[in-house]
Amino acid sequence: MSTIDNEAFEWVARKYARGLSAPESAQFDAWYAADLRHQGAYARAMAIYNAINLATAPQSLSPELSMRRERRSTRRGWFKYGAMAACLLAAVGTASLTALRDEQVLTTAKGEFRKVPLQDKSIATINSGSQIEVAFTEKQRTVNLRKGEAWFEVAKDKAKPFVVEAGDARIRAVGTAFSVRRFTNGTEVLVTEGKVEVWGQGRSAQRRLLLEGDRAFLAQDAGAISVSRQPVEVNRKLAWREGKVILKNQTLDDAVADFNRYSPKTIVIVDAALREKRLFGQYKLDAPELFARDVSTVLDVPVNITADTIFIGRKEVDVPDGS
């Protein structure tokens, strides 16, 4: 790899291992602005970081099951994978550079994730089955979340507000980190750093300020904006950034919905009586079969796994009363 690529890897490694100090941030800004090749190398390094960072180990619903499954790999610093990085560099370099254009539509397929540096040094981490449209002007940085979910790490620029549009919802930030997810009935906003302002189009009088750890929901029907402080739940909901599904007293119905957002193998709950069963655990997003087998053990229900579907539970058969 080139010297510039190695420099880019070093910057990404520093940022995500311990964060950058104020002098280091100034050095990075100068390095980034000095050469378009630096910007391209940084985009490639971020894509490589994202690809390697998704390798996380599962933890089962049952502690006893977890102890029986030996964790065979240890998650190490991504920058130690020199050979892997070199291979990924060739594979993702071209795609990553497209994020540097002034206007760009970025889409992920089911089960796909993208961590994309934008041209202002903000970063958009795009969840499975999502689409964003980026349009930056001299006065404003605008991202239209057309569908799905994305998490934004916003570069500070007081002169150019960063606004995410999601249907009728509007989310404004200057330098912060937050996620936006579209549902059929509204939009969810989760704040992980700093503060953001949210409002509905045509409802500017209802503007609400959100702080780190806050969750907001803007209903599609123009109702009041619901805001609550849920730092633990915010982190749980955003575990997909690390390739995980975390369950903390979630229902089986909610857990299955999470897996079905990512896995090509659909999970079906056959017995409706199981839907409200509560679960705890942690899994890789691409481990629906492991999850289903643990559900079978913990809830003592049958599981049938086929080529493209996982069936949980046994359907109740109506028995005539014979009267």
Side-chain angles (χ1 to χ4, degrees), residues 91-103:
V92 304
T94 303
S96 298
L97 288 173
T98 61
L100 299 175
R101 297 177 183 174
D102 290 338
E103 292 191 24

PDB file of all heavy atoms in Angstrom, residues 91-103:
ATOM      1  N   ALA A  91     -10.720  -3.980  -3.264  1.00  0.00           N
ATOM      2  CA  ALA A  91     -12.126  -4.301  -3.499  1.00  0.00           C
ATOM      3  C   ALA A  91     -13.048  -3.109  -3.307  1.00  0.00           C
ATOM      4  O   ALA A  91     -14.041  -2.958  -4.012  1.00  0.00           O
ATOM      5  CB  ALA A  91     -12.559  -5.421  -2.558  1.00  0.00           C
ATOM      6  N   VAL A  92     -12.741  -2.230  -2.332  1.00  0.00           N
ATOM      7  CA  VAL A  92     -13.693  -1.181  -1.996  1.00  0.00           C
ATOM      8  C   VAL A  92     -13.239   0.218  -2.395  1.00  0.00           C
ATOM      9  O   VAL A  92     -14.009   1.163  -2.277  1.00  0.00           O
ATOM     10  CB  VAL A  92     -13.970  -1.173  -0.474  1.00  0.00           C
ATOM     11  CG1 VAL A  92     -14.452  -2.510  -0.019  1.00  0.00           C
ATOM     12  CG2 VAL A  92     -12.727  -0.759   0.314  1.00  0.00           C
ATOM     13  N   GLY A  93     -12.028   0.360  -2.882  1.00  0.00           N
ATOM     14  CA  GLY A  93     -11.498   1.690  -3.154  1.00  0.00           C
ATOM     15  C   GLY A  93     -12.381   2.529  -4.053  1.00  0.00           C
ATOM     16  O   GLY A  93     -12.725   3.662  -3.741  1.00  0.00           O
ATOM     17  N   THR A  94     -12.810   2.001  -5.190  1.00  0.00           N
ATOM     18  CA  THR A  94     -13.584   2.779  -6.144  1.00  0.00           C
ATOM     19  C   THR A  94     -14.927   3.175  -5.588  1.00  0.00           C
ATOM     20  O   THR A  94     -15.364   4.314  -5.699  1.00  0.00           O
ATOM     21  CB  THR A  94     -13.788   1.968  -7.435  1.00  0.00           C
ATOM     22  OG1 THR A  94     -12.516   1.615  -7.946  1.00  0.00           O
ATOM     23  CG2 THR A  94     -14.531   2.793  -8.464  1.00  0.00           C
ATOM     24  N   ALA A  95     -15.606   2.247  -4.956  1.00  0.00           N
ATOM     25  CA  ALA A  95     -16.933   2.534  -4.421  1.00  0.00           C
ATOM     26  C   ALA A  95     -16.878   3.616  -3.357  1.00  0.00           C
ATOM     27  O   ALA A  95     -17.754   4.470  -3.280  1.00  0.00           O
ATOM     28  CB  ALA A  95     -17.550   1.268  -3.847  1.00  0.00           C
ATOM     29  N   SER A  96     -15.841   3.595  -2.516  1.00  0.00           N
ATOM     30  CA  SER A  96     -15.766   4.555  -1.431  1.00  0.00           C
ATOM     31  C   SER A  96     -15.584   5.975  -1.944  1.00  0.00           C
ATOM     32  O   SER A  96     -16.093   6.917  -1.374  1.00  0.00           O
ATOM     33  CB  SER A  96     -14.606   4.197  -0.506  1.00  0.00           C
ATOM     34  OG  SER A  96     -14.805   2.930   0.066  1.00  0.00           O
ATOM     35  N   LEU A  97     -14.857   6.133  -3.047  1.00  0.00           N
ATOM     36  CA  LEU A  97     -14.580   7.457  -3.559  1.00  0.00           C
ATOM     37  C   LEU A  97     -15.822   8.168  -4.052  1.00  0.00           C
ATOM     38  O   LEU A  97     -15.866   9.382  -4.112  1.00  0.00           O
ATOM     39  CB  LEU A  97     -13.557   7.361  -4.706  1.00  0.00           C
ATOM     40  CG  LEU A  97     -12.135   7.019  -4.263  1.00  0.00           C
ATOM     41  CD1 LEU A  97     -11.268   6.789  -5.474  1.00  0.00           C
ATOM     42  CD2 LEU A  97     -11.548   8.118  -3.406  1.00  0.00           C
ATOM     43  N   THR A  98     -16.873   7.424  -4.403  1.00  0.00           N
ATOM     44  CA  THR A  98     -18.082   8.056  -4.911  1.00  0.00           C
ATOM     45  C   THR A  98     -18.747   8.928  -3.865  1.00  0.00           C
ATOM     46  O   THR A  98     -19.523   9.804  -4.194  1.00  0.00           O
ATOM     47  CB  THR A  98     -19.098   6.999  -5.389  1.00  0.00           C
ATOM     48  OG1 THR A  98     -19.457   6.170  -4.276  1.00  0.00           O
ATOM     49  CG2 THR A  98     -18.514   6.136  -6.479  1.00  0.00           C
ATOM     50  N   ALA A  99     -18.434   8.680  -2.603  1.00  0.00           N
ATOM     51  CA  ALA A  99     -19.060   9.463  -1.535  1.00  0.00           C
ATOM     52  C   ALA A  99     -18.570  10.900  -1.504  1.00  0.00           C
ATOM     53  O   ALA A  99     -19.148  11.734  -0.827  1.00  0.00           O
ATOM     54  CB  ALA A  99     -18.786   8.810  -0.195  1.00  0.00           C
ATOM     55  N   LEU A 100     -17.519  11.222  -2.259  1.00  0.00           N
ATOM     56  CA  LEU A 100     -16.942  12.546  -2.208  1.00  0.00           C
ATOM     57  C   LEU A 100     -17.597  13.511  -3.182  1.00  0.00           C
ATOM     58  O   LEU A 100     -17.245  14.665  -3.253  1.00  0.00           O
ATOM     59  CB  LEU A 100     -15.438  12.458  -2.503  1.00  0.00           C
ATOM     60  CG  LEU A 100     -14.655  11.605  -1.508  1.00  0.00           C
ATOM     61  CD1 LEU A 100     -13.211  11.497  -1.954  1.00  0.00           C
ATOM     62  CD2 LEU A 100     -14.740  12.149  -0.111  1.00  0.00           C
ATOM     63  N   ARG A 101     -18.541  13.046  -3.977  1.00  0.00           N
ATOM     64  CA  ARG A 101     -19.216  13.935  -4.912  1.00  0.00           C
ATOM     65  C   ARG A 101     -20.158  14.882  -4.163  1.00  0.00           C
ATOM     66  O   ARG A 101     -20.578  14.621  -3.048  1.00  0.00           O
ATOM     67  CB  ARG A 101     -20.020  13.111  -5.924  1.00  0.00           C
ATOM     68  CG  ARG A 101     -19.147  12.222  -6.792  1.00  0.00           C
ATOM     69  CD  ARG A 101     -20.017  11.393  -7.715  1.00  0.00           C
ATOM     70  NE  ARG A 101     -19.194  10.478  -8.516  1.00  0.00           N
ATOM     71  CZ  ARG A 101     -19.686   9.550  -9.321  1.00  0.00           C
ATOM     72  NH1 ARG A 101     -20.999   9.403  -9.424  1.00  0.00           N
ATOM     73  NH2 ARG A 101     -18.886   8.771 -10.015  1.00  0.00           N
ATOM     74  N   ASP A 102     -20.517  15.986  -4.818  1.00  0.00           N
ATOM     75  CA  ASP A 102     -21.392  16.961  -4.177  1.00  0.00           C
ATOM     76  C   ASP A 102     -22.792  16.423  -3.972  1.00  0.00           C
ATOM     77  O   ASP A 102     -23.462  16.756  -3.012  1.00  0.00           O
ATOM     78  CB  ASP A 102     -21.442  18.242  -5.013  1.00  0.00           C
ATOM     79  CG  ASP A 102     -20.119  18.994  -4.947  1.00  0.00           C
ATOM     80  OD1 ASP A 102     -19.374  18.775  -3.986  1.00  0.00           O
ATOM     81  OD2 ASP A 102     -19.843  19.782  -5.864  1.00  0.00           O
ATOM     82  N   GLU A 103     -23.297  15.615  -4.896  1.00  0.00           N
ATOM     83  CA  GLU A 103     -24.614  15.024  -4.758  1.00  0.00           C
ATOM     84  C   GLU A 103     -24.505  13.538  -5.023  1.00  0.00           C
ATOM     85  O   GLU A 103     -23.913  13.109  -5.995  1.00  0.00           O
ATOM     86  CB  GLU A 103     -25.610  15.658  -5.738  1.00  0.00           C
ATOM     87  CG  GLU A 103     -25.928  17.105  -5.425  1.00  0.00           C
ATOM     88  CD  GLU A 103     -27.109  17.608  -6.241  1.00  0.00           C
ATOM     89  OE1 GLU A 103     -27.921  16.776  -6.667  1.00  0.00           O
ATOM     90  OE2 GLU A 103     -27.185  18.827  -6.443  1.00  0.00           O
TER      91      GLU A 103
END
